[in-house]
Amino acid sequence: MYTLALLKSEMSILLMLLTSLACSNALPVASDDQSQCVKVDQCSCRLENVDKPGLIDLHSLVTGHQPTFHDQEKSNQTGLVYDFYYNPCLNFSDHGCPEPALCQTGYNSSIDLGNLDYVEFEVEGDVVTAIYKSKFDDRYGQNRTTEVTWVCDETAENARFVYISEPVARHYRFRLITKCACPNGCGTPTPRPSCDQIDSCTCKSTSDGAEIDLHELDNPHAPLTGVDNEGYTYYYNPCSGLELQNEIGRCHGVSACQEDPFHKTYYNIGEVDPIIKYNATEKQFIFHYTGGEGGRYFDVKMICDPMAEAPALSNDGDIPKGNLFYPLKLTTKHACTQE
């Protein structure tokens, strides 16, 4: 026999379930608070202005240029089965998709659901959602948007990728459940800045006052050049964007460009927006660049040589073929710290 109190309790539970269901299919709305996840690169960001701030870093989940995660969904309307593939850090070229981070296959087609060149982070409370846009339009001339909510689960040693819904046409929602979505759950916490960055090529140390200024090397029409162990040529301009172009490739307004000697094309490997770090022990500055094509990024270690009248750009150790991280070094008298 139902009591009034029991009836009210069941109605309350039903209302909570309906509210949860409605929210799970709604598009996210901007949070009123100031919580944010400051982008470090395509698959890591610094969670700030929350109860538990820290670095969200998914790099350890990824082993190479292939899909890291997979899920499958059967359409209730058509009965067709669709497969979804995801790599949060590196674009891949498997399954017929043109180098996406997310790909849908099924019904004799492969569809780009999102590319790492077009990823942004949004925060609701303390939960981060990565929002991707496709690089290529589908056969109907439409592009697609995909949200992957990174769900923190400190007990999840094995990450799980789950399809949620397509609440509106060409807009997809997924969840990635992993301990790496927890602040400092994977990777190394981002340290406090080691220098006060004045602009894209000037920085002053917060520890000993050492300063670097590369403005005298800035020349977008004649960038610094160097060749690595695989025969790739690198063009670098530290303070402003350079431009290179041929029949099949172009670098426009970027800090560095890689020339592929085999395919005779150019690749953007980093935007003119570095994070500058300073090693007080070595008295050495390192410029870290992200935002390159297909997830490419690079570092330039500044090597002081007071006798070097002409700067020399070279690789800082071997750069394996197919790698998307490019360690470079610049030997110049302008890297000698000013105090």
Side-chain angles (χ1 to χ4, degrees):
M1 181 175 179
Y2 282 97
T3 66
L4 181 59
L6 182 59
L7 181 60
K8 287 182 177 180
S9 176
E10 291 187 350
M11 290 180 65
S12 177
I13 293 172
L14 179 60
L15 180 59
M16 290 173 63
L17 289 172
L18 291 174
T19 301
S20 175
L21 182 61
C23 291
S24 68
N25 286 285
L27 297 181
V29 295
S31 175
D32 291 333
D33 59 29
Q34 299 300 312
S35 59
Q36 60 179 336
C37 209
V38 180
K39 186 176 181 181
V40 176
D41 58 24
Q42 285 85 348
C43 63
S44 63
C45 60
R46 294 188 304 274
L47 192 59
E48 299 180 351
N49 301 322
V50 294
D51 291 338
K52 189 178 178 181
L55 179 70
I56 309 295
D57 188 345
L58 304 189
H59 283 93
S60 62
L61 301 178
V62 174
T63 58
H65 291 275
Q66 62 271 340
T68 309
F69 302 106
H70 167 254
D71 196 23
Q72 198 172 72
E73 178 69 12
K74 183 176 181 179
S75 171
N76 291 329
Q77 297 177 337
T78 65
L80 296 173
V81 175
Y82 295 94
D83 289 275
F84 300 95
Y85 300 92
Y86 179 42
N87 186 323
C89 299
L90 299 171
N91 289 327
F92 58 87
S93 56
D94 292 350
H95 305 288
C97 280
E99 295 190 346
L102 291 127
C103 177
Q104 172 189 304
T105 64
Y107 197 50
N108 299 319
S109 67
S110 299
I111 301 174
D112 173 8
L113 299 187
N115 190 282
L116 290 173
D117 293 340
Y118 309 97
V119 59
E120 300 293 339
F121 301 120
E122 290 189 359
V123 179
E124 185 72 24
D126 58 357
V127 179
V128 176
T129 295
I131 302 177
Y132 305 86
K133 292 183 179 179
S134 61
K135 187 173 184 178
F136 299 98
D137 295 342
D138 61 19
R139 59 183 175 179
Y140 303 106
Q142 302 287 331
N143 64 9
R144 304 190 179 225
T145 303
T146 299
E147 301 173 15
V148 182
T149 299
W150 296 351
V151 179
C152 167
D153 183 346
E154 295 178 349
T155 66
E157 293 296 329
N158 297 315
R160 292 184 292 119
F161 178 60
V162 182
Y163 171 84
I164 302 300
S165 66
E166 186 180 353
V168 295
R170 299 181 178 86
H171 190 110
Y172 302 81
R173 299 183 69 242
F174 296 85
R175 288 195 186 106
L176 180 63
I177 305 164
T178 171
K179 67 176 184 178
C180 294
C182 305
N184 303 328
C186 300
T188 304
T190 303
R192 293 177 61 85
S194 55
C195 68
D196 289 326
Q197 193 164 329
I198 299 167
D199 56 30
S200 60
C201 59
T202 311
C203 205
K204 186 172 183 177
S205 166
T206 56
S207 58
D208 60 13
E211 185 174 350
I212 189 169
D213 185 343
L214 300 182
H215 280 92
E216 288 190 29
L217 300 181
D218 189 64
N219 188 343
H221 304 292
L224 304 170
T225 61
V227 180
D228 72 11
N229 55 296
E230 294 288 341
Y232 290 81
T233 301
Y234 297 85
Y235 301 88
Y236 174 54
N237 197 50
C239 302
S240 60
L242 59 85
E243 181 158 354
L244 296 170
Q245 184 172 357
N246 62 17
E247 292 80 4
I248 57 176
R250 181 189 185 196
C251 286
H252 173 68
V254 301
S255 191
C257 188
Q258 179 197 58
E259 182 179 6
D260 184 332
F262 306 103
H263 298 95
K264 307 300 181 183
T265 190
Y266 295 114
Y267 298 102
N268 160 25
I269 64 170
E271 302 290 342
V272 191
D273 187 22
I275 296 173
I276 304 176
K277 303 175 183 178
Y278 177 65
N279 184 326
T281 303
E282 301 292 333
K283 291 190 177 297
Q284 189 173 75
F285 288 88
I286 298 175
F287 287 45
H288 176 68
Y289 298 83
T290 60
E293 183 177 349
R296 291 171 172 83
Y297 62 109
F298 73 102
D299 283 355
V300 181
K301 183 183 294 184
M302 300 299 169
I303 307 298
C304 166
D305 183 350
M307 305 302 294
E309 292 299 324
L313 182 68
S314 60
N315 54 296
D316 185 27
D318 289 345
I319 302 178
K321 189 175 181 180
N323 191 39
L324 292 185
F325 170 64
Y326 307 95
L328 305 175
K329 61 183 178 181
L330 179 64
T331 304
T332 171
K333 64 181 181 180
H334 297 288
C336 300
T337 59
Q338 309 166 25
E339 299 184 23

